[in-house]
Amino acid sequence: MPLPSVIFASSFVPPEWIEAHGLRPSRVAPRAAGAVEREGLCPFAGAFAAAADGPDVAAAVFTTTCDQMRRAAEIGGDGGRAERFVMHVPSTWQTPAAHRLYREELGRLGRFLVRLGGHGPAPGELAACMERREAMRDEVLARRPRLTSRAHGDLAMRFHETGVLPPASDTVPASGGSPLMLLGGPMRREDLGLFDTIDRSGGCVAVDGTESGEREWPRRFDRRRMGGDPAGELADAYFGHIPAVFRRPDSGLFDWLAAALRATPVRGIVVVTHPWCDAWRAEVPRIRDASPVPVLALDLAGAGASAGEGSTRVEAFLEALR
Amino acid sequence: MNAPPRRLTLDDWDARYGDLRRAGLREPSYGGPLRRHVADGDHRLLRLQFDNSAAALRLWNFLLTEEDRLHAARAEGRRIVGAMKDLGTVPVMAYSLPGVVAFYPDGAWWTPCVMEMSDELLAVADRMGIDETFCPVRAMLGAFVTRRHFPIPDLLVCSAGAVCDDFSAIAQRLNGLGHPILWWEAPHRSEPEPDEEAVPLPGGGRAPRAQVAFLESELRRVGEALGRLAGTDLDDARLADGIQRANGIRRRLRELREACFTARVAPLPALELLIAEMLAIHFCSDLEEAGAVLDDLLDEVRRRVAAGTGFGGADAVRVYWVNPVADLRMMNRLEAAGGRLCGTEFLFSHALDGIPEDVPCWEALARAAAADPMAGPARDRAARIARDAAALGAEAVIVSRIPGASHCATEGGVMADAVRAAAGIPAVEIEVPPLSDAVAAQVSTRMEALFETARARRGCGT
């Protein structure tokens, strides 16, 4: 019998932790189609709230990494089909207390998972999950040069959702266009059309700095610390190192941006934001100021006419970069 | 001097002020005719209707001279703390220390309304990319950039975590402009787990003890910074004394609210009650004077209740109002449509509840902070509103939607549904922009329809 699926959308929910508790983690890219829609509601939060009531979902983990997602846990209220868990991910990070709080929240999540039918991690189980996931993350990155942007986006999404990778023979030739960095909020399934647009317009995604991309992956695990305190190492690799926009202060995001641009030269940055996403929309001017390359701010309005307009803007941006 | 209650325009107030002076009105240093604030740019006063009492005059003058007070504090060498977002916690600590004044720069969100956009704070925010998709608190960014309002604080302290995204994002921009901020974590208030130790919170909720302990450690960290600013420690004795004094303000406000909400005829207009409640969060930059202002208001309200006089008549629809309004004129419109306030929840109920004085002071303050309605789920907030609305005999609930606010996309519906389900009271959501004149007819029609429904229910015994 397949394990019950625990879905989440935040990179601060370690799939290794859910897996080690005997449940199936799935970091979903929710569908725009069927999303909950309300005036002022972030489309991603609305899409995730709808996904939380999906047929194969045992529980959904919402995080406090943005206010809209925190509150989306209450959409459907007590009538929601699946169990909902709100995990507090501290915004502050410069104090030991914030790190301890994250670790305690992982503990609270673990007890929730046990109540859901899971079990506490057996000795070595968590470390084994960490090693396996890390190897797969390495593999996802290693395949980028051999894939189109869209194919790589699909691969990463599939990995996050299922925890497995298709054989490498599935590869599609890379486009080799003008290298771009994507930066911004999380991607819904339909938003991956942006990768197609970039491929078609003579570009390629060299760095995925969206919340769905590698910017929000944990740092590499320290094998020595993993042996002694795997949960502590897990917490530090995630909470201690992911440079997220909700962090206060968010200097880590800009440190990451500078380092990423040094490591991977790109011709331009496309910053994607969802309507009503305050965290990213407020940072666009600062990103422009900090970037040595041109920046295009793009609204992820979803399917339809606005998506067409977005495509035109990406095409024009890439044309200007040539 | 004690004339029967009446609504006055600003023109009316000119004459009334002369009468009061001739009758021997004694005013504090910030006193004077309301008209002079229009010369300072507060054009909205020309379109508001005011209570005619000397106590209300003092309240308005106290409110509208706050920036002068802050500049005077700076000139006198006092240290200024800009508390941000938590609405009611950090100022209790700040006012426990000698030579420290605290205020909320967040309060700039009313400036576009009061000055009828003449100061262009929203336009400045627009130019910085903080457009109308953000809540009107974006005016705060404009106020920091133009430096035409409050003095730039010596220390900025902002809560982060379970807060609204608008404020957090704007505060981060402020930080990016070179204003250092001391961030402290306000965790999402979670339901205690089975067998987990919980503590009661002011206002009736509860929280895991571990969360309250975490908050206590965060507040102690803020307290250390405040102590460094003041040049002296914020020790237990000082904080306990500060809590007692803050509780004095909260006690007066609870008494004022109860008198206003339960009287047969509303003894104070909704607008003045809203302004008075705002004194809870940072005492309008002068704790002692805030107490005196409230004492005057309480005296006036008691007199009116005893005389059975007030506003709107006994048949006005009893309305429970949720969320602060960006446009003060909405409070006038509520009454013009036939309603009166019988309860409010302006997002800072935790600043009105008494801070426990029977537990150690830091834990007491942490419990008060944990009770912040913004920190918990909307269903907690809704449950309290439904309970209070029913207890106060509310006939209708209005959830005032704040344009662009991250919490308003979902919580309004949760609260309105909860009130309907738990208390059987009709509820509507109404969005109120900083200047609501353009939507005034639509908003008034919605309120009138709600009140008609409420009146129709009177006859049905529901």
Side-chain angles (χ1 to χ4, degrees):
Chain A
M1 195 169 71
L3 295 171
S5 171
V6 176
I7 70 164
F8 56 97
S10 167
S11 43
F12 284 82
V13 179
E16 296 92 337
W17 189 243
I18 297 170
E19 200 173 5
H21 280 79
L23 299 169
R24 185 159 58 90
S26 177
R27 184 175 173 191
V28 296
R31 292 181 186 279
V36 177
E37 291 183 12
R38 288 181 189 173
E39 171 69 20
L41 179 63
C42 160
F44 186 89
F48 184 71
D53 276 336
D56 303 320
V57 177
V61 180
F62 292 75
T63 59
T64 58
T65 50
C66 90
D67 194 34
Q68 292 251 7
M69 282 298 276
R70 171 168 78 108
R71 293 175 181 283
E74 293 190 77
I75 294 175
D78 296 335
R81 198 193 58 75
E83 294 272 353
R84 287 154 192 236
F85 182 87
V86 179
M87 178 177 171
H88 185 81
V89 180
S91 293
T92 55
W93 52 274
Q94 292 171 310
T95 63
H99 290 250
R100 278 197 303 274
L101 180 59
Y102 177 74
R103 176 89 186 258
E104 285 163 12
E105 282 294 285
L106 280 185
R108 197 167 66 85
L109 172 62
R111 293 189 291 278
F112 168 77
L113 296 172
V114 170
R115 288 198 296 277
L116 199 65
H119 56 73
E125 197 172 359
L126 177 58
C129 293
M130 290 163 71
E131 283 194 10
R132 192 165 53 245
R133 289 266 170 181
E134 183 171 84
M136 284 194 282
R137 280 191 288 268
D138 289 346
E139 175 66 15
V140 170
L141 271 192
R143 289 193 199 176
R144 173 172 278 150
R146 306 195 300 274
L147 295 173
T148 63
S149 302
R150 174 59 193 250
H152 191 263
D154 284 336
L155 176 78
M157 186 193 69
R158 191 164 159 188
F159 161 63
H160 287 310
E161 285 198 348
T162 65
V164 296
L165 286 174
S169 57
D170 281 355
T171 56
V172 181
S175 58
S178 295
L180 296 178
M181 173 189 283
L182 282 188
L183 195 55
M187 308 284 271
R188 296 163 299 175
R189 196 169 294 260
E190 290 86 342
D191 296 328
L192 293 182
L194 173 63
F195 290 79
D196 284 326
T197 304
I198 290 171
D199 285 331
R200 265 199 323 270
S201 309
C204 72
V205 177
V207 182
D208 186 351
T210 67
E211 289 182 22
S212 305
E214 63 266 19
R215 176 179 54 80
E216 296 220 345
W217 289 4
R219 66 154 168 76
R220 294 189 64 75
F221 298 125
D222 179 321
R223 294 300 190 274
R224 187 180 53 79
R225 293 176 61 187
M226 237 166 82
D229 176 16
E233 173 60 4
L234 182 80
D236 188 62
Y238 277 81
F239 184 74
H241 289 83
I242 297 176
V245 73
F246 73 93
R247 294 299 187 85
R248 294 293 174 266
D250 68 356
S251 48
L253 175 66
F254 289 88
D255 292 344
W256 174 88
L257 181 61
L261 289 173
R262 276 196 304 274
T264 309
V266 296
R267 303 282 299 278
I269 299 175
V270 178
V271 183
V272 293
T273 61
H274 290 286
W276 308 107
C277 174
D278 299 326
W280 278 106
R281 293 171 84 89
E283 291 305 288
V284 170
R286 288 183 70 204
I287 292 167
R288 284 191 205 282
D289 289 345
S291 171
V293 294
V295 172
L296 172 72
L298 194 70
D299 218 9
L300 287 173
S306 46
E309 183 195 327
S311 295
T312 307
R313 296 188 65 217
V314 171
E315 286 163 14
F317 183 63
L318 275 160
E319 199 176 329
L321 292 180
R322 280 188 204 128
Chain B
M1 189 126 27
N2 295 325
R6 197 159 67 86
R7 286 193 184 83
L8 301 183
T9 63
L10 197 66
D11 286 343
D12 298 333
W13 250 116
D14 291 340
R16 169 76 173 143
Y17 183 74
D19 292 344
L20 283 171
R21 290 289 292 179
R22 281 187 289 279
L25 174 71
R26 294 178 63 183
E27 292 186 278
S29 59
Y30 53 82
L34 287 182
R35 170 78 58 185
R36 72 201 154 109
H37 302 296
V38 177
D40 294 340
D42 297 343
H43 303 292
R44 199 60 172 165
L45 302 185
L46 294 165
R47 276 167 261 282
L48 296 179
Q49 290 203 312
F50 306 88
D51 181 87
N52 65 337
S53 65
L57 174 71
R58 183 175 186 177
L59 173 71
W60 279 104
N61 275 328
F62 186 49
L63 173 79
L64 296 171
T65 55
E66 183 176 16
E67 288 173 4
D68 300 340
R69 218 158 22 252
L70 288 168
H71 285 289
R74 166 65 47 81
E76 290 162 9
R78 282 187 281 165
R79 309 312 300 269
I80 298 176
V81 174
M84 300 200 290
K85 191 65 213 112
D86 64 279
L87 298 183
T89 302
V90 168
V92 175
M93 291 192 276
Y95 283 99
S96 300
L97 286 161
V100 176
V101 176
F103 77 106
Y104 282 95
D106 323 25
W109 92 305
W110 262 319
T111 305
C113 162
V114 174
M115 301 187 76
E116 293 199 329
M117 307 286 188
S118 61
D119 207 34
E120 300 200 319
L121 295 188
L122 297 183
V124 172
D126 275 338
R127 287 198 288 277
M128 300 181 72
I130 305 296
D131 61 17
E132 70 283 352
T133 62
F134 290 79
C135 120
V137 81
R138 66 197 177 104
M140 177 185 77
L141 189 60
F144 270 95
V145 170
T146 62
R147 297 180 180 236
R148 283 200 294 262
H149 292 274
F150 46 75
I152 302 302
D154 299 301
L155 174 66
L156 285 171
V157 182
C158 186
S159 58
V163 303
C164 64
D165 283 341
D166 304 81
F167 197 92
S168 188
I170 292 165
Q172 178 60 64
R173 279 301 296 281
L174 203 57
N175 197 190
L177 292 172
H179 296 282
I181 292 175
L182 173 65
W183 305 94
W184 61 278
E185 190 75 29
H188 173 78
R189 190 177 61 244
S190 56
E191 187 71 20
E193 293 178 76
D195 304 324
E196 185 178 18
E197 189 184 357
V199 295
L201 303 180
R206 61 190 197 129
R209 177 170 287 286
Q211 262 189 357
V212 172
F214 173 81
L215 264 169
E216 182 182 331
S217 73
E218 287 294 275
L219 294 179
R220 282 181 182 273
R221 188 162 66 84
V222 174
E224 284 169 14
L226 292 171
R228 283 193 295 276
L229 182 73
T232 183
D233 285 350
L234 178 53
D235 58 25
D236 288 4
R238 281 203 168 103
L239 181 59
D241 180 58
I243 286 174
Q244 272 190 358
R245 289 190 298 134
N247 274 342
I249 300 293
R250 294 175 182 214
R251 199 161 32 245
R252 289 177 178 96
L253 277 166
R254 288 198 302 277
E255 194 179 336
L256 184 71
R257 281 161 51 90
E258 187 176 348
C260 290
F261 296 157
T262 58
R264 194 178 63 85
V265 179
L268 198 64
L271 179 56
E272 276 74 12
L273 189 57
L274 166 74
I275 302 298
E277 286 201 29
M278 291 295 156
L279 301 189
I281 60 173
H282 70 266
F283 324 116
C284 213
S285 302
D286 185 338
L287 193 150
E288 307 310 327
E289 184 61 22
V293 168
L294 290 173
D295 285 340
D296 271 9
L297 272 179
L298 264 169
D299 287 344
E300 185 66 40
V301 163
R302 286 188 196 113
R303 261 195 302 274
R304 290 175 178 179
V305 170
T309 57
F311 297 87
D315 67 334
V317 173
R318 299 173 60 78
V319 176
Y320 193 102
W321 192 285
V322 180
N323 285 340
V325 282
D327 186 354
L328 298 172
R329 202 174 176 191
M330 278 303 297
M331 294 290 100
N332 286 163
R333 292 203 178 100
L334 162 77
E335 290 165 336
R340 61 164 285 194
L341 288 182
C342 79
T344 57
E345 204 275 39
F346 291 138
L347 266 176
F348 53 79
S349 51
H350 62 303
L352 293 167
D353 295 323
I355 304 167
E357 293 186 33
D358 56 350
V359 296
C361 55
W362 288 98
E363 182 186 338
L365 200 57
R367 289 193 194 190
D372 183 345
M374 283 286 279
R379 66 173 177 274
D380 282 5
R381 194 177 168 209
R384 181 171 182 183
I385 288 168
R387 195 173 62 237
D388 289 353
L392 290 162
E395 297 173 287
V397 172
I398 295 178
V399 180
S400 169
R401 195 182 162 100
I402 302 166
S406 60
H407 53 103
C408 284
T410 48
E411 72 171 2
V414 172
M415 291 189 293
D417 289 348
V419 165
R420 288 187 205 108
I425 302 170
V428 295
E429 250 190 297
I430 294 176
E431 182 162 291
V432 182
L435 287 182
S436 63
D437 301 343
V439 294
Q442 182 201 353
V443 164
S444 294
T445 302
R446 293 199 69 196
M447 285 198 289
E448 284 161 8
L450 176 69
F451 298 165
E452 260 180 55
T453 306
R455 283 198 189 91
R457 286 162 48 88
R458 286 176 179 168
C460 302
T462 49

